[in-house]
Amino acid sequence: MDLQNLTKKNQEFINIATHQLIRDGKTDQEIKTILEEALPTILENQEKGIPARTALGAPTVWAAAFTPKESDKAAEVSEKDTTPWRMWLNTSLWLFGLFALVTGLLSLVSTNYPQYGILTLLVLGFGGGAVMYGSYHYIYRFQYTEQRVGFLKTILIMFVMLILWMLLFGLTALIPSSINITVSSIFSIVLGAIVLVGQYFFRKKYNIESAWAPRQNIK
């Protein structure tokens, strides 16, 4: 590139920026492309008496902007999937697997502990998932915004959703055992473990936002 038409200050800007690009690991071709794209702007401003440092900023900062920082990459990776059905399914699978595993273990060590039917476990898991997602949708996603839900409204929403969940759970007792088949302790443990492993990989694959752990950057 011909830099003869540049002023001493602008030539210095290019030299410093080039060294920064080299330190950032840019190839010769990448550096050439970046500078060739910037030169017309630098020359245009130079004719107006505006040095490159004034127009583009400090050369090291300007050059560094072409290389994503680790923090930028991390932020990109941490961008969570907030698709409603995925968040609900992720939470539901976790609760279902947890209830199946825990009830299976407890009924295995204690004959007095009740063994639930498969439909009861499904209601506990997927109904609980709906409650957790409802909490996120109506409360937690607004926690760090100006629309933050008040304490009394939060209590009311949580109370209503929990009552509905418990009501559904209670209604499963009315379902005949021929339909709501009681599962054995071992089957419940194995089923719970399989579901929890599946939920883990499902959450990882889509990088799903947690419905029960709101973050400050939730939109």
Side-chain angles (χ1 to χ4, degrees):
M1 292 180 295
D2 185 10
L3 305 181
Q4 298 303 314
N5 293 328
L6 295 179
T7 62
K8 291 291 185 182
K9 286 186 177 181
N10 285 346
Q11 287 181 15
E12 183 184 5
F13 179 94
I14 292 295
N15 288 332
I16 295 173
T18 301
H19 286 302
Q20 180 63 47
L21 291 168
I22 293 172
R23 282 196 295 270
D24 289 339
K26 295 295 184 184
T27 64
D28 290 343
Q29 184 56 48
E30 287 175 327
I31 294 172
K32 183 179 179 182
T33 300
I34 291 170
L35 296 181
E36 283 180 343
E37 289 179 354
L39 275 175
T41 302
I42 293 174
L43 286 169
E44 183 181 344
N45 284 306
Q46 181 176 285
E47 292 175 1
K48 299 175 184 177
I50 303 172
R53 183 181 286 271
T54 301
L56 302 178
T60 52
V61 175
W62 174 80
F66 291 95
T67 305
K69 300 295 182 291
E70 288 302 319
S71 58
D72 297 333
K73 292 177 183 176
E76 217 173 282
V77 171
S78 67
E79 187 65 30
K80 296 289 187 177
D81 185 341
T82 56
T83 305
W85 74 266
R86 282 184 183 149
M87 288 187 65
W88 166 74
L89 182 58
N90 174 60
T91 307
S92 298
L93 289 174
W94 182 76
L95 287 173
F96 175 75
L98 186 65
F99 280 124
L101 183 64
V102 170
T103 55
L105 288 171
L106 291 177
S107 61
L108 188 65
V109 299
S110 174
T111 55
N112 295 324
Y113 195 85
Q115 291 177 295
Y116 294 121
I118 189 67
L119 292 181
T120 301
L121 290 174
L122 286 169
V123 166
L124 282 171
F126 288 82
V131 169
M132 295 298 290
Y133 179 74
S135 302
Y136 163 84
H137 183 77
Y138 292 108
I139 301 170
Y140 296 139
R141 69 187 179 123
F142 301 117
Q143 186 164 349
Y144 299 101
T145 70
E146 294 179 355
Q147 297 173 285
R148 182 173 180 175
V149 180
F151 177 75
L152 291 179
K153 188 175 180 180
T154 296
I155 295 298
L156 178 61
I157 292 172
M158 293 294 295
F159 178 76
V160 170
M161 288 190 293
L162 285 172
I163 289 297
L164 290 174
W165 186 24
M166 290 298 99
L167 181 62
L168 286 173
F169 171 65
L171 289 175
T172 61
L174 304 177
I175 302 175
S177 57
S178 58
I179 299 175
N180 189 16
I181 302 171
T182 301
V183 296
S184 67
S185 301
I186 298 299
F187 181 83
S188 185
I189 292 170
V190 173
L191 178 63
I194 291 173
V195 171
L196 286 174
V197 170
Q199 180 269 336
Y200 172 81
F201 285 107
F202 175 69
R203 176 172 58 86
K204 287 293 183 182
K205 179 179 179 180
Y206 295 103
N207 197 28
I208 301 170
E209 176 68 76
S210 171
W212 59 84
R215 304 173 306 145
Q216 190 163 350
N217 60 344
I218 285 175
K219 295 180 181 180

